[in-house]
Amino acid sequence: MARSQEILGWDILPLLSDCRPRRLAIPTPQARPKHSRKMTTFTRIPEDETPSIIVDVSRRLSKIDPNIYGGFMEHMGRCIYGGIYDPENPLSDTHGYRTDVLSALRDLDIPVIRYPGGNFIATYHWQDGVGPRENRPSRPELAWLGTETNQFGTDEFMHWLGVLSEGKENRVEPYFCLNMGTGSLDEALAWVEYCNGTRNTYYANLRRKNGHEEPYNIKYWALGNEVWGPWQVEQMTAEDYSKKAFQWAKALKLLDPSLCLILCGETGHSSWDHKVLNFCIQYADMHSIHIYTSGKSHLSNVTAPLSAERAIETAAALIDIARIEKNIPPSVGKTKICFDEWNMWDPTRAPGEKGAEELYTLSDALGVAVWLNVFVRQSRWVGMANIAQSVNVISPLMTTKDGVVKQATWWPLLLFSRYMRGWTVGVHVSAGAYGGVTEPAWLQGVLEQGASWLDVSASVNEHGVISLVVVNINETTDFEVDLVSVGKEVEVYTITGKDVKAVNVEGEEQVGVKESKWDGQGKYKFAKHSMTLLRWSTRKKITEVVQGDGVRLNTRKLGWSA
């Protein structure tokens, strides 16, 4: 028994008192707090009544991790070649990097970028992409049925990140994904050593030989990508993946205990997620889930991201179950959710093997705004999110030979990344609702009161500035809304277009941001099919109270230590 406790990774004896049954004081329904722990609550009212939004700044809830505004660069379509790296284009610098892309991405203030896949990673061998370019082999690429020239690899990506980070206080963090398809544990360990090694060892010296003396100090590493999928090279069962991921994680943490390892989840609401979390929870710093949404009609399209909210809540519960069943000490930091692939995407409209170049509408832009509202509302659980992808491939940013096009979906992403930071604030919405067909179909059953016509989130930053996002998903109706606890000098940012099919293409921008002011008096009219961001100051700075980090896994002793 003692040996079993040691292998589990912690000393269970001090926790025995916490495992005994105890009588819980469960409040009656009348005694329960009206808002519970929810970020935004909703009451459905008759359609002919005036909607209201109550912003309760005293309900400062969970910290919004800046990493929810992360990006993703995969060797797919024109994302890398022709996207960020285009040496033959006159708009590129001496390194071959598109300067217009760099400038646009700096505007988003992206904190972290996932690389190099995605499905691509399952047949990618990192050593093909380092060293002299003339010696790098071209390989068949099986995920998207192309050819990988390996002219852009680990060192080029890290250098490009350095250029992207120029002028920032903190660098844009890299997030690498390991090949758990055709790759080996030895190859994974070698890649980490190449990137992070400081000793006189083979792969650390290879990095130095290739002209990079200092380690890259890459913190985030994913244990494979979508290995549950039938489209994957070397698809696995949950049981086989769990055993493999457990052994890989143990070895990787022995090599570099500072790594943040991301477990390969599915949708967050599947038996796969439950099984792998239960097996690997002690090594899982984060758990990834992937969801793409779309709908055939505007309302099914714009409400589809609400399925991600339920996925986050379900995955969070599965994390708690795994921690409870594995007796993980309560002082150990929470395993967060890494939503490292999300977006609006219809694969039949934009097939992946053909480059997945979506033309996004205003409806899609409002869907992206709802997606981002979800991440803000669920900030307690989400430690990272990465829009897939950052350039050309199902992306808000498209390159042409003469410049870049900022699609309709670019604008909500820009406003959120610029202003929705700090802490999530509690909001209550009273409004009418959509109760029709949803995609996925199960979402309609989850939305017991329907989907509010006004999808809302709010935040407060350290300076006491409130940002309130209201997405009016209704295609035909403006809403005059009572806003409670709003300031008197309000900045207003509005995204809309002539109709939900409005698009941005080269030479014609039908969707953008309009800036204005409001005195905060009376009702505010939220226009049909629009996203509105209101900002005002409480003139009260925020003092954050931070809890200690608790204990961490000691991989050498397989136990928990301070």
Side-chain angles (χ1 to χ4, degrees), residues 286-301:
M286 287 199 277
H287 180 73
S288 80
I289 56 179
H290 293 177
I291 293 177
Y292 296 92
T293 61
S294 67
K296 295 180 178 63
S297 67
H298 164 65
L299 287 173
S300 64
N301 189 54

Side-chain angles (χ1 to χ4, degrees), residues 72-85 114-124 139 141-150 152 157 225-226 231-232 290 292 340-358 360 387-395 397-399:
F72 178 30
M73 302 289 188
E74 181 172 6
H75 285 249
M76 174 185 179
R78 292 194 307 123
C79 183
I80 302 297
Y81 304 107
I84 65 173
Y85 180 67
R114 184 175 180 237
Y115 177 83
N119 294 345
F120 170 81
I121 194 64
T123 57
Y124 178 65
R139 305 280 193 194
E141 195 284 300
L142 302 185
W144 308 112
L145 305 180
T147 299
E148 176 52 50
T149 65
N150 286 300
F152 191 96
F157 179 72
N225 170 80
E226 293 184 4
W231 52 86
Q232 287 294 317
H290 293 177
Y292 296 92
D340 54 16
E341 286 191 32
W342 71 271
N343 206 342
M344 311 292 291
W345 183 23
D346 181 353
T348 61
R349 189 171 64 189
E353 63 274 14
K354 294 183 179 180
E357 297 197 10
E358 278 268 28
Y360 284 118
I387 189 169
Q389 298 178 15
S390 295
V391 184
N392 287 335
V393 177
I394 51 173
S395 175
L397 187 68
M398 305 294 293
T399 63

Side-chain angles (χ1 to χ4, degrees), residues 490-504:
V490 184
E491 297 176 0
V492 182
Y493 304 84
T494 306
I495 298 171
T496 190
K498 63 179 181 178
D499 56 45
V500 296
K501 295 181 181 179
V503 296
N504 291 348

